[in-house]
Amino acid sequence: METSPDSLLLIAGLLLLAKVSGAVAIRFGMPSVLGILVAGLLAGPGALGLIGHDEFVGNLGHIGVVLLMFLAGLETDPQGLRTVGRTALLVAIGGVALPMAAGYAVGVLAGMETMHALFLGAILTATSVSITAETLKELGRSRSREGNIIMGAAIIDDVLGVLVLSALVVAESGGSIGEPLIKLVLFSLLAFGIGRWVMPLIAEHHTRIESPDTRVALTLAMALGFAWLAYEVGGLAEVTGSFLAGVMLSRTDLGHHIVEPVSRLGYTLFIPIFFVYIGSSVTLSDLTAAPLISAAIVLVALITKLAGCGIPARLCGESLATSVRVGAGMVGRGEIALVVASVGLAEGVVDATGFSIAIVVTIVTTIAAPLLLKAAYQWFPDARTVPSPNPALAAEFAAGGQ
């Protein structure tokens, strides 16, 4: 794969488009990522056709999502993840079971074959929180309780989704499910070993490395290497590996030192390209294929994640505000749904119609996720953010109670 002058011009255009559209979105009180997505959609082949697709630029965007989830891991509180373990597990189960069942039901009602309907449900189980992570960061809530629940549930969701995907592919091919399970166990053991002994050892001696650039390069190598391990050894999405690498490093002094330089690198080049590329990945034919089924699936995709994740959080004792935010934060499918759909298409367990539906669902839920999350914070504010009708009386009461 070679770069060309056209690739360089495309990169320049994508960066300018991302920064300008993000600034415009912020000006109107919306998350910058929403402006970037919409701009990519309008400028892409599906609308104005101002930008095309380039393999090299696409790979830069792929690195961008890996770095984005690595940064999300660095900004995640490991202790907070442990405190929401049970809630995150139930949220993940609800976020897989309900979309799977509803997607299958819609597929059957639409006349799809059993396997195609099952795979349609499997596509809806996917959760991509890369955009949710970006929105939480903009809102200053990356380390909030709902943020920890969402991130924890997303990891479990990814594992459950891989098991569902593996089971369907195995069922279609008539093979054994043992191999994907063995790979998952091997990655889990590797991740635990590296996180328990290797990363802390490297982080402990990072001060001996005089060059800050070398420290950043070392951590980037760990993030990309862990992403590769997750995919090759565990059969998981690369973003799961990079997120876990960030979580492991977040407990160390090295993790605190490299957040700013890695963030600067990611948000200068790779991450903006990723967001624009998601928006530009849809075409007009994708949007118009099977419109009635697509509309029904999009509605199901939104409702089942909101309910399937929000209700379990509420049943676990979380506040209404936290539960609504968790449901909204788990809505986005993003690149995970596209990966699942691509595997299904390659394995013959989803047809072209199902694949086009997956693209539509991905685009709509990706745009909807930051809007719903921001609305959840506006409509269900924390109790401490609600102003007192009489501040002076409240202050007097507080002083008297001391």
Side-chain angles (χ1 to χ4, degrees):
M1 179 180 60
E2 298 180 356
T3 59
S4 67
D6 289 341
S7 297
L8 300 179
L9 181 62
L10 179 57
I11 292 171
L14 292 178
L15 289 176
L16 289 174
L17 180 63
K19 295 305 180 182
V20 171
S21 58
V24 171
I26 292 175
R27 183 69 179 269
F28 285 94
M30 299 182 295
S32 65
V33 62
L34 179 60
I36 297 174
L37 288 172
V38 173
L41 176 63
L42 294 177
L48 300 178
L50 299 178
I51 58 176
H53 288 286
D54 182 283
E55 184 180 0
F56 175 74
V57 179
N59 286 335
L60 291 183
H62 188 67
I63 295 174
V65 70
V66 170
L67 291 181
L68 177 60
M69 293 311 294
F70 177 60
L71 287 168
L74 283 174
E75 297 178 358
T76 299
D77 180 10
Q79 181 61 37
L81 282 178
R82 285 192 289 269
T83 62
V84 300
R86 173 175 169 270
T87 302
L89 174 61
L90 294 178
V91 166
I93 292 174
V96 168
L98 188 58
M100 179 79 184
Y104 169 74
V106 173
V108 170
L109 292 174
M112 291 185 177
E113 298 178 10
T114 300
M115 187 57 66
H116 289 176
L118 282 172
F119 211 87
L120 184 61
I123 291 172
L124 297 188
T125 66
T127 296
S128 174
V129 294
S130 54
I131 291 174
T132 295
E134 169 69 6
T135 305
L136 286 171
K137 181 177 180 180
E138 288 188 7
L139 294 173
R141 304 305 295 259
S142 296
R143 289 178 175 263
S144 63
R145 183 166 180 83
E146 57 269 17
N148 286 325
I149 293 174
I150 291 169
M151 292 302 174
I155 295 175
I156 302 170
D157 199 326
D158 191 24
V159 173
L160 294 176
V162 167
L163 292 177
V164 171
L165 174 63
S166 302
L168 291 177
V169 171
V170 167
E172 177 70 11
S173 62
S176 170
I177 199 172
E179 182 180 348
L181 287 176
I182 291 174
K183 291 175 67 176
L184 186 59
V185 171
L186 284 176
F187 173 73
S188 300
L189 293 175
L190 274 174
F192 176 79
I194 294 174
R196 178 68 177 80
W197 291 292
V198 179
M199 282 192 176
L201 183 63
I202 295 175
E204 182 181 350
H205 300 287
H206 80 91
T207 54
R208 298 180 183 179
I209 302 175
E210 295 183 0
S211 170
D213 293 342
T214 302
R215 287 199 291 268
V216 173
L218 177 62
T219 55
L220 287 177
M222 286 191 283
L224 297 175
F226 229 72
W228 178 85
L229 277 176
Y231 181 79
E232 291 293 336
V233 178
L236 304 172
E238 295 100 323
V239 291
T240 299
S242 61
F243 176 76
L244 288 176
V247 171
M248 294 170 186
L249 281 175
S250 69
R251 302 179 300 169
T252 68
D253 184 58
L254 174 60
H256 300 149
H257 279 79
I258 53 91
V259 171
E260 183 179 350
V262 172
S263 179
R264 188 183 306 117
L265 172 65
Y267 282 94
T268 299
L269 176 61
F270 298 101
I271 296 175
I273 289 178
F274 162 68
F275 284 129
V276 176
Y277 234 59
I278 284 184
S280 66
S281 63
V282 67
T283 64
L284 186 60
S285 60
D286 295 327
L287 291 174
T288 57
L292 294 180
I293 300 177
S294 296
I297 290 296
V298 165
L299 186 61
V300 166
L302 295 172
I303 293 175
T304 54
K305 280 293 184 181
L306 284 168
C309 298
I311 292 176
R314 186 64 170 151
L315 293 176
C316 287
E318 300 298 330
S319 68
L320 179 60
T322 297
S323 301
V324 172
R325 295 167 189 170
V326 167
M330 296 289 286
V331 161
R333 272 35 174 216
E335 75 287 350
I336 304 299
L338 294 181
V339 169
V340 173
S342 299
V343 171
L345 188 64
E347 297 292 338
V349 291
V350 67
D351 56 12
T353 299
F355 186 74
S356 66
I357 290 174
I359 294 177
V360 173
V361 168
T362 298
I363 295 297
V364 174
T365 58
T366 297
I367 293 175
L371 286 176
L372 290 173
L373 190 58
K374 186 172 182 181
Y377 276 103
Q378 292 176 339
W379 297 341
F380 299 90
D382 293 325
R384 63 178 181 275
T385 64
V386 179
S388 168
N390 192 331
L393 182 60
E396 181 181 348
F397 176 80
Q402 294 178 350

